[in-house]
């Protein structure tokens, strides 16, 4: 398989607060393939936005970002200078936020704003120096004959804005919320991105508009092969739009896999809980209210599973540092779970509850922790051998179907 478009390994982001160090992103690894829609789902405060902002290097000095690797299209983003990074942002990677007004300038026409991005990131042969832009901004405006203006009109049309020539001369406040978000998408496209990071792009919109905007993003992804990192707290949105998804809880990716695998056969108790609590249309409860208990404090976060206090399957190993377990390789995509029930030597009954933790299970875990192995990408430290019950905790697979590269005992 070719290299993923974005590859993030061991991303950890923390903030120094008055109360202590807050770990907003804790050893997160993921990759996004070309043309893929990758979802990050989790409740408020789980660290979704900070994950995206860390990758984009958009956190202010308060945040400390560490990572083994953040590689985008062959480039190590962490090693770029700030000015190189600026040209990546809005160019090869663009971001769409929840509130379109954060990305739009209220005192510039939308045509001007898009044309400016076109000039800045594209090659339209128009001067883009400081004084040229100032002159356009305050004196002349962008000529409607220019390539950047025509491209802006084209982009507005692409994202489904009616009468784009007319709209281009209007200011953001003259448009509805849904139209404004379309403008933001057009602006994101103006830099000819290969990845769009969309952080709750439809949360502020009506449900009917939400579907339209999501469809728009999906169609663009399909048509132009653009990858999308879609951040949302809405599992319904994930199911409709994503190819793969990561479930985030208390700053960690608990389960990552193909969206169909995750919905059909979730392995992490938290994912199970989330799926069980998707609200029905006639039900306006908060979607998480069904899982009892509260999210742990992210300040001075102890090692071990952050979900254990709320987990009906909690057992002896849950206090130990988490490692990632990779499930059966013939799933639709790599499927990884951070839950010690997946330790092959741990015995689990039909209902998914742990019945026995043999010494070998503990020893195997010790070895992985010692190897500093938060993720199981490295086959040499991959967890091994036959489960006592011959299957996964939720009874999914034959051992013979499991990973081929396990060392056999
Ligand atoms: N600049 C900051 N300084 C201190 N703490 C921060 C800062 N930015 C974010 N945090 C904390 O990091 C944690 C993760 O925040 P984040 O915004 O990533 O959550 P989220 O999953 O995007 O939530 P939401 O769905 O509400 O947007 C939260 O506990 C938040 O309070
Ligand atoms: Ni957020």
């Amino acid at each position: 398989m070719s290299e993923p478009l974005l590859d993030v390994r061991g991303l950890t982001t923390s903030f120094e607060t008055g109360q202590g160090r807050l770990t907003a992103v804790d050893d997160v690894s993921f990759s996004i393939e070309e043309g893929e829609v990758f979802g990050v789902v989790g409740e408020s405060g789980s660290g979704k936005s900070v994950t995206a902002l860390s990758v984009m290097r958009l956190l202010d000095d308060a945040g400390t970002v560490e990572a083994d690797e953040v590689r985008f299209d062959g480039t190590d983003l962490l090693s770029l200078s700030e000015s190189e990074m600026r040209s990546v942002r809005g160019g090869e990677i663009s971001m769409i936020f929840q509130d379109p007004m954060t990305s739009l300038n209220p005192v510039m026409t939308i045509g001007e704003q898009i044309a400016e991005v076109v000039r800045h990131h594209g090659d339209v042969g128009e001067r883009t120096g400081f004084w040229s832009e100032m002159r356009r901004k305050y004196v002349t405006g962008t000529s409607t004959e220019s390539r950047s203006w025509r491209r802006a009109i084209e982009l507005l049309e692409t994202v489904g804005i009616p009468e784009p020539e007319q709209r281009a001369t209007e200011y953001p406040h003259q448009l509805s919320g849904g139209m404004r978000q379309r403008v933001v998408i057009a602006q994101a496209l103006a830099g000819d991105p290969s990845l769009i990071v969309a952080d709750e792009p439809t949360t502020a919109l009506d449900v009917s508009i939400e579907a339209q905007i999501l469809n728009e993003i999906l169609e663009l992804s399909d048509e132009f092969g653009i990858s999308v990192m879609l951040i949302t707290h809405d599992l319904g949105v994930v199911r409709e739009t994503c190819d793969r998804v990561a479930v985030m809880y208390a700053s960690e990716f608990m389960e990552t896999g193909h969206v169909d695998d995750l919905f059909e056969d979730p392995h992490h108790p938290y994912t199970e809980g989330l799926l069980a609590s998707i609200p029905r249309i006639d039900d306006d409860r908060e979607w998480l209210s069904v899982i009892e208990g509260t999210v742990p404090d992210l300040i001075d976060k102890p090692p071990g599973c952050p979900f254990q206090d709320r987990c009906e399957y909690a057992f002896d190993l849950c206090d130990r540092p988490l490692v990632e377990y990779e499930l059966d390789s013939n799933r639709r995509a790599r499927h990884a779970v951070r839950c010690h029930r997946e330790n092959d030597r741990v015995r689990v009954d039909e209902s998914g509850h742990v019945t026995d933790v043999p010494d070998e299970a503990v020893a195997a875990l010790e070895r992985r922790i010692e190897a500093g192995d938060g993720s199981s990408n490295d086959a040499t430290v991959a967890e091994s051998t036959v489960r006592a019950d011959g299957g996964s905790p939720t009874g999914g697979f034959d051992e013979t179907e499991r990973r081929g590269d396990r060392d056999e005992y």
Side-chain angles (χ1 to χ4, degrees):
M1 211 156 64
S2 60
E3 212 187 316
L5 181 65
L6 177 69
D7 198 19
V8 175
R9 298 289 125 206
L11 179 70
T12 300
T13 304
S14 57
F15 298 98
E16 205 51 72
T17 72
Q19 286 78 48
R21 181 153 284 275
L22 183 151
T23 308
V25 179
D26 192 359
D27 192 16
V28 159
S29 297
F30 63 98
S31 57
I32 302 180
E33 305 291 332
E34 231 166 87
E36 179 178 59
V37 181
F38 180 76
V40 179
V41 66
E43 66 200 287
S44 188
S46 54
K48 306 179 298 293
S49 296
V50 174
T51 301
L53 294 170
S54 303
V55 169
M56 302 293 284
R57 291 184 32 196
L58 278 171
L59 289 170
D60 54 32
D61 295 341
T64 308
V65 180
E66 291 163 295
D68 299 326
E69 185 166 82
V70 179
R71 183 167 284 278
F72 173 75
D73 202 10
T75 303
D76 176 15
L77 293 186
L78 299 177
S79 70
L80 296 184
S81 69
E82 183 44 39
S83 83
E84 289 169 324
M85 195 59 213
R86 258 200 304 273
S87 82
V88 169
R89 289 193 291 259
E92 290 155 87
I93 310 180
S94 43
M95 277 196 89
I96 301 173
F97 297 96
Q98 175 176 339
D99 176 6
M101 289 313 273
T102 54
S103 323
L104 296 175
N105 183 340
V107 299
M108 264 171 98
T109 66
I110 61 177
E112 285 292 344
Q113 301 190 47
I114 298 172
E116 190 180 340
V117 180
V118 170
R119 285 193 295 274
H120 201 79
H121 292 284
D123 181 19
V124 289
E126 289 165 44
R127 298 181 63 167
T128 59
F130 179 75
W131 293 112
S132 313
E133 288 296 355
M134 278 298 160
R135 211 174 123 74
R136 278 194 197 94
K137 199 163 178 172
Y138 294 108
V139 188
T140 61
T142 297
S143 157
T144 52
E145 300 301 311
S146 66
R147 284 173 66 184
S148 58
W149 186 265
R150 276 180 284 140
R151 177 79 181 126
I153 306 286
E154 211 174 272
L155 286 166
L156 289 173
E157 200 163 11
T158 304
V159 299
I161 292 189
E163 300 175 70
E165 282 93 357
Q166 167 60 28
R167 290 300 187 181
T169 63
E170 295 179 355
Y171 291 88
H173 73 265
Q174 293 174 276
L175 277 66
S176 69
M179 282 296 151
R180 278 204 287 262
Q181 198 60 303
R182 284 174 194 265
V183 171
V184 171
I185 297 171
Q187 195 184 33
L189 289 175
D192 200 11
S194 40
L195 173 66
I196 293 179
V197 178
D199 189 351
E200 309 264 11
T202 58
T203 306
L205 304 173
D206 288 352
V207 178
S208 60
I209 310 292
E210 167 172 59
Q212 291 174 18
I213 296 290
L214 288 172
N215 272 333
E216 193 61 54
I217 295 175
L218 284 188
E219 278 169 23
L220 294 170
S221 164
D222 266 1
E223 194 174 335
F224 303 113
I226 300 171
S227 306
V228 180
M229 176 172 176
L230 181 70
I231 293 173
T232 177
H233 58 266
D234 189 335
L235 274 169
V237 165
V238 166
R239 177 136 225 196
E240 292 302 314
T241 55
C242 298
D243 299 310
R244 282 189 311 123
V245 58
V247 175
M248 195 163 194
Y249 179 79
S251 73
E252 297 183 49
F253 277 11
M254 296 311 221
E255 181 159 10
T256 311
H258 189 281
V259 71
D260 293 340
D261 290 330
L262 202 115
F263 273 79
E264 284 164 21
D265 186 22
H267 272 240
H268 200 286
Y270 179 62
T271 316
E272 270 179 41
L274 283 190
L275 293 176
S277 65
I278 293 182
R280 290 189 306 273
I281 292 162
D282 56 353
D283 180 352
D284 58 8
R285 274 177 311 177
E286 274 293 295
W287 57 285
L288 202 70
S289 60
V290 187
I291 307 176
E292 277 180 36
T294 51
V295 181
D297 195 350
L298 299 181
I299 293 173
D300 301 323
K301 202 178 162 212
C305 177
F307 189 60
Q308 57 180 300
D309 290 345
R310 303 169 79 180
C311 183
E312 67 159 301
Y313 305 104
F315 69 108
D316 298 353
L317 292 183
C318 299
D319 281 333
R320 311 303 309 277
L322 278 183
V323 296
E324 189 179 88
Y325 298 92
E326 185 171 339
L327 303 185
D328 173 77
S329 60
N330 62 7
R331 293 196 154 213
R332 296 172 179 90
R334 179 174 189 277
H335 195 126
V337 186
R338 282 190 157 198
C339 172
H340 291 307
R341 281 194 312 167
E342 304 294 332
N343 183 317
D344 283 341
R345 296 169 183 85
V346 167
R347 283 167 213 256
V348 178
D349 68 16
E350 294 280 281
S351 69
H353 291 86
V354 172
T355 54
D356 186 26
V357 184
D359 290 345
E360 313 91 79
V362 182
L365 176 60
E366 298 279 355
R367 282 199 299 279
R368 286 194 58 185
I369 294 168
E370 243 163 68
D373 180 35
S375 67
S376 63
N377 290 325
D378 185 346
T380 58
V381 286
E383 205 28 60
S384 62
T385 74
V386 183
R387 292 187 66 88
D389 62 358
S392 61
T394 41
F397 297 97
D398 269 336
E399 193 56 39
T400 48
E401 292 174 355
R402 302 185 124 236
R403 276 165 64 103
D405 57 1
R406 286 154 188 268
D407 46 328
E408 299 295 336
Y409 278 57

